[in-house]
Amino acid sequence: MRVQDAVNVEDVRRLARRRLPRVVFDALAGGAGDEVSLRRNRTAFDRIEFRPRPLADVATRDLSTTVFGERLSMPIMLAPTGASRLARSSAELAVARAAARADVVYMQSTVAAFPLEDVAAASAGTLWYQLYLPPDRAELGDLLRRIAAAGYRALAITIDTPVLGNRERDTRNRLMNRPPHPRTLLQGAGKPAWAADFVRGKVDYLRGQLGAGRAASPAGAASPTPLSLDQTRATITSSSDCITWSDVERIRSLWEGPLLLKGLMRGDECDRLVELGVDGVVVSNHGGRQLDGVPATIDILPEVVDAAAGRLAVFLDGGVRRGNDVAKALALGAAGVFVGRPYLYGLAAGGEAGVLRVIELLRAEFDRAMALLGAATVADLDRSLVSGARIPAIPSPSTP
Ligand SMILES: Cc1cc2nc3c(=O)[nH]c(=O)nc-3n(C[C@H](O)[C@H](O)[C@H](O)COP(=O)(O)O)c2cc1C
């Protein structure tokens, strides 16, 4: 099967699994610990049921929405993923191009194979930036200025990564062994198309180093070269250590555009975030890759939406594999959703065209779900259209 013939994201996942060495597929698909939260993200979506509204005029549908004052073609966006070069050497460049062609937002990770300016130059679309703090916080101002100058519209600080999650598949597969474990090399050799692309990426990297001689940023964001996995791990563990409220305050004072926190899993911090001038949150458990045992994101979404009470834009990621999942999240109050692994599978299976295929599959499913639900516009998606969700009880009026 070619990626163009995939009829859903699961087909694309199977194609990716076929093309990637096991160690790489596991690094993308796996979660932390027993992968309880990874599984929950999916099963919780399946538990929610639709209650379609009959006889609505849905002959034409409008999937567009407005986020931070900007019109988006639909509320599906691409999440930041630091290891996209493992899927394919064109990595963020291919993802950014596909996102621009499909007119969806791409949030680029700090842990990237290409400089943030190059990714911006490759894309005429809307880009957001996901921030891990540089180990030397004195360099934060410069990094934020570069992000703004390159045209990234919004900034998201990831707050669920004080240390790296316990990814046991990666430990078992000896992903971080240097030199690579013989079994890793054998697995790579067994997937010649992937291996050839990986080597090509390395060669381009060396050429780039010899040629341009650009300086790498402390956070790896400006690295002209693909980061190795140990660099990636080192970047995350050293740079995101202990992001605290004062960091958020500082970033708020330095960044003029919309500011989001990514990785919130409870509603009771929303007042404080609003006071700090934060504009939005992503309800996220990092795709089940950080603290195993946290709830599914779709189960926490209503709590955060209610606590935000319209003062923060609330997004969700984790386990979105169908346009129907998007409709469920929007019905429960999300301003939009992000997908991570689905587009990584597309990238692995077919490069830019594979990412585009995943976006178009999700768009078509979301459009169909809206029609069948009786929703002609995104604003028509409300809680009456779903049942079985974990809606927090309305607090009883407090007695004086
Ligand atoms: C391989 C991989 C790498 C990731 N890297 C990052 C990252 O660098 N920064 C970040 O904030 N989130 C990262 N994430 C988490 C995603 O942004 C997102 O929260 C998650 O993938 C959503 O779940 P889904 O994959 O089920 O759609 C990564 C996820 C994966 C699968």
Side-chain angles (χ1 to χ4, degrees):
M1 186 173 43
R2 298 169 317 143
V3 75
Q4 283 77 11
D5 300 323
V7 303
N8 57 32
V9 168
E10 175 58 18
D11 280 351
V12 181
R13 189 187 73 87
R14 280 199 214 100
L15 285 172
R17 197 176 54 188
R18 222 174 290 156
R19 188 175 183 278
L20 297 173
R22 173 72 187 268
V23 50
V24 172
F25 179 79
D26 276 354
L28 306 182
D34 292 316
E35 303 190 336
V36 171
S37 298
L38 176 68
R39 281 192 299 279
R40 269 187 195 151
N41 277 352
R42 279 294 329 138
T43 53
F45 269 117
D46 290 344
R47 217 183 48 238
I48 294 170
E49 300 161 332
F50 285 126
R51 310 291 303 275
R53 191 182 290 126
L55 302 174
D57 181 359
V58 291
T60 57
R61 274 96 51 204
D62 179 4
L63 306 193
S64 71
T65 187
T66 301
V67 173
F68 301 137
E70 191 171 349
R71 200 85 189 141
L72 309 179
S73 74
M74 64 170 174
I76 304 176
M77 301 176 271
L78 306 186
T81 57
S84 55
R85 70 166 285 246
L86 282 182
R88 203 171 273 263
S89 64
S90 49
E92 296 83 22
L93 298 183
V95 179
R97 285 188 195 116
R101 276 169 69 189
D103 195 16
V104 299
V105 172
Y106 172 38
M107 190 195 283
Q108 198 208 308
S109 168
T110 298
V111 187
F114 295 96
L116 62 94
E117 288 85 0
D118 289 10
V119 177
S123 160
T126 302
L127 294 169
W128 295 3
Y129 194 87
Q130 175 266 323
L131 184 71
Y132 284 128
L133 292 184
D136 181 355
R137 307 249 158 133
E139 311 199 15
L140 179 63
D142 278 346
L143 179 59
L144 293 179
R145 269 188 292 280
R146 282 180 52 209
I147 295 165
Y152 290 80
R153 300 279 170 76
L155 184 77
I157 313 169
T158 296
I159 59 169
D160 58 8
T161 322
V163 298
L164 206 65
N166 173 28
R167 320 260 169 88
E168 292 187 357
R169 294 201 212 191
D170 296 350
T171 310
R172 214 181 294 285
N173 289 333
R174 299 187 173 87
L175 180 72
M176 305 304 295
N177 273 32
R178 292 293 171 271
H181 192 269
R183 203 177 59 202
T184 307
L185 294 174
L186 267 180
Q187 283 181 11
K191 303 289 179 184
W194 176 86
D197 172 69
F198 192 77
V199 170
R200 202 163 37 240
K202 287 263 181 202
V203 171
D204 287 349
Y205 154 58
L206 289 173
R207 260 205 222 117
Q209 267 201 329
L210 287 174
R214 275 178 282 192
S217 92
S223 167
T225 65
L227 292 173
S228 73
L229 270 179
D230 0 358
Q231 284 171 314
T232 303
R233 182 170 289 218
T235 300
I236 293 175
T237 47
S238 65
S239 67
S240 59
D241 208 5
C242 291
I243 290 184
T244 62
W245 290 101
S246 61
D247 291 312
V248 176
E249 244 170 84
R250 171 133 187 271
I251 292 165
R252 180 66 287 181
S253 71
L254 294 171
W255 175 262
E256 287 178 9
L259 179 67
L260 298 103
L261 297 194
K262 174 175 180 286
L264 189 71
M265 285 296 284
R266 50 195 294 162
D268 61 359
E269 305 289 358
C270 286
D271 290 346
R272 188 159 180 195
L273 296 179
V274 172
E275 277 164 29
L276 279 180
V278 170
D279 302 289
V281 294
V282 185
V283 175
S284 171
N285 56 24
H286 219 101
R289 296 163 68 81
Q290 285 299 106
L291 177 62
D292 196 30
V294 291
T297 51
I298 193 71
D299 281 339
I300 293 304
L301 176 71
E303 175 185 318
V304 177
V305 166
D306 289 358
R311 299 169 298 167
L312 299 164
V314 181
F315 303 87
L316 168 137
D317 74 23
V320 173
R321 299 293 178 270
R322 290 280 191 183
N324 294 36
D325 300 332
V326 181
K328 289 173 184 175
L330 272 277
L332 289 169
V337 305
F338 291 86
V339 293
R341 294 180 187 85
Y343 81 78
L344 285 178
Y345 298 145
L347 182 65
E352 181 181 334
V355 177
L356 202 56
R357 180 73 187 153
V358 165
I359 299 169
E360 294 313 332
L361 284 169
L362 291 172
R363 191 197 306 271
E365 288 176 357
F366 179 49
D367 177 52
R368 188 189 304 252
M370 291 222 338
L372 293 172
L373 274 169
T377 69
V378 165
D380 293 336
L381 293 165
D382 61 36
R383 285 188 186 173
S384 76
L385 297 174
V386 290
S387 62
R390 254 201 234 167
I391 311 280
I394 298 165
S396 50
S398 52
T399 42

